[in-house]
Amino acid sequence: MNFIDTIDDLFNMLDRYTEGVDWDNFYIKRDKPAPFLKYNKLPDKCVVDFIRGHDIKNACEFGCGEGRNAIYLAKNDVDTEAYDLSEIAIENAKRNARESKADKVAFKAGNIFALDFADKKFGLVIDSGIFHHLPPHRRLQYRDIVSSILAENGYFVLLCFAAGEDGADEVDDYEFYRSRQTGAAFTEERLKVFWGEKFDIVDLRKGENIADGQMWESEYLYICLFQNVKG
């Protein structure tokens, strides 16, 4: 028999009502037209632009995939921790880091909702693919995790599916469960309301189609930069 006695019990129950993505299988088959597979060694343009304009000592990336952003940070003298749900992606990321001689990055596979970040604080947190795959009941918890590990005046870079583009459909939170979505797109206003509860909005724009051999960006994404300046 199953009983709901804690918030974790409730969240775990709701997780069962969402499909999720088999990310290990995703990285093994590599049969999806995802740009982050095609450009798996190129950092996001917004990350490159950010590092050029800011002095950051340490960073954390959620949903790091095969390490493209984390390796770029490490090669630019930023101590970096990088996490992904897929063990296959993390194995590939570690190999890519060795080949790139990036030694200031630590990769770890795991569910971020089960990880212990203790008293860690980072000057930069990056999410280039987790938020838009989270079911609605996990989004508030995720926002709290990002807020808890971001240093005062630290920055949060978020890339997520833009409504009306090819990444995913925009659906309301009830429909997410009814249609068993694996991801959702967001409007600019929705992002401002949700993330503006915790952070100041520094920049929020639509992406462009860019791939120049050094970095990449796509028009199906919103590019967001938030700062932790609220008391």
Side-chain angles (χ1 to χ4, degrees), residues 51-63:
I51 291 301
R52 287 173 176 171
H54 298 82
D55 182 19
I56 298 295
K57 301 301 181 186
N58 67 344
C60 175
E61 182 176 18
F62 293 134

Side-chain angles (χ1 to χ4, degrees), residues 176-187:
F176 192 100
Y177 297 99
R178 284 194 295 264
S179 56
R180 302 184 74 86
Q181 296 287 311
T182 58
F186 295 86
T187 64

Side-chain angles (χ1 to χ4, degrees), residues 207-221:
E208 303 176 65
N209 283 327
I210 296 171
D212 64 4
Q214 301 296 318
M215 65 190 84
W216 76 276
E217 185 172 286
S218 176
E219 65 181 2
Y220 73 77
L221 297 170

Side-chain angles (χ1 to χ4, degrees), residues 83-148:
Y83 300 87
D84 200 279
L85 192 61
S86 168
E87 293 186 1
I88 300 298
I90 291 297
E91 289 175 5
N92 294 344
K94 289 178 178 178
R95 183 188 64 247
N96 290 338
R98 289 193 298 270
E99 292 175 354
S100 299
K101 295 181 171 55
D103 58 2
K104 299 192 74 170
V105 57
F107 291 103
K108 183 175 181 178
N111 185 326
I112 62 170
F113 298 111
L115 296 173
D116 181 9
F117 292 100
D119 296 322
K120 291 182 178 180
K121 295 290 183 181
F122 300 93
L124 173 65
V125 175
I126 298 173
D127 172 354
S128 59
I130 283 187
F131 179 64
H132 54 221
H133 285 297
L134 291 179
H137 65 278
R138 288 290 186 179
R139 294 174 191 158
L140 290 170
Q141 187 183 15
Y142 180 62
R143 188 177 66 183
D144 286 343
I145 290 173
V146 173
S147 178
S148 70

Side-chain angles (χ1 to χ4, degrees), residues 22-204:
D22 184 345
W23 288 108
D24 277 341
N25 192 50
F26 180 92
Y27 281 103
I28 290 171
K29 285 191 172 182
R30 311 183 80 84
D31 58 352
K32 304 295 183 183
F36 60 85
L37 288 180
K38 181 178 181 180
Y39 305 121
N40 68 324
K41 294 185 180 180
L42 297 183
D44 289 301
K45 178 181 182 295
C46 62
V47 174
V48 175
D49 291 343
F50 180 87
I51 291 301
R52 287 173 176 171
H54 298 82
D55 182 19
I56 298 295
K57 301 301 181 186
N58 67 344
C60 175
E61 182 176 18
F62 293 134
C64 67
E66 295 174 314
R68 53 197 183 81
N69 284 323
I71 291 170
Y72 174 81
L73 292 171
K75 293 183 73 173
N76 280 272
D77 204 33
V78 180
D79 289 313
T80 305
E81 296 183 14
Y83 300 87
D84 200 279
L85 192 61
S86 168
E87 293 186 1
I88 300 298
I90 291 297
E91 289 175 5
N92 294 344
K94 289 178 178 178
R95 183 188 64 247
N96 290 338
R98 289 193 298 270
E99 292 175 354
S100 299
K101 295 181 171 55
D103 58 2
K104 299 192 74 170
V105 57
F107 291 103
K108 183 175 181 178
N111 185 326
I112 62 170
F113 298 111
L115 296 173
D116 181 9
F117 292 100
D119 296 322
K120 291 182 178 180
K121 295 290 183 181
F122 300 93
L124 173 65
V125 175
I126 298 173
D127 172 354
S128 59
I130 283 187
F131 179 64
H132 54 221
H133 285 297
L134 291 179
H137 65 278
R138 288 290 186 179
R139 294 174 191 158
L140 290 170
Q141 187 183 15
Y142 180 62
R143 188 177 66 183
D144 286 343
I145 290 173
V146 173
S147 178
S148 70
I149 66 171
L150 200 58
E152 184 177 359
N153 296 318
Y155 292 90
F156 175 45
V157 171
L158 170 69
L159 292 86
C160 69
F161 292 144
E165 299 295 342
D166 293 336
D169 294 329
E170 179 192 8
V171 295
D172 69 36
D173 292 346
Y174 285 75
E175 182 61 27
F176 192 100
Y177 297 99
R178 284 194 295 264
S179 56
R180 302 184 74 86
Q181 296 287 311
T182 58
F186 295 86
T187 64
E188 180 177 342
E189 183 58 31
R190 178 61 179 148
L191 291 169
K192 287 180 177 179
V193 169
F194 185 84
W195 290 102
E197 285 287 324
K198 287 283 187 181
F199 307 118
D200 278 9
I201 300 166
V202 179
D203 190 24
L204 202 164

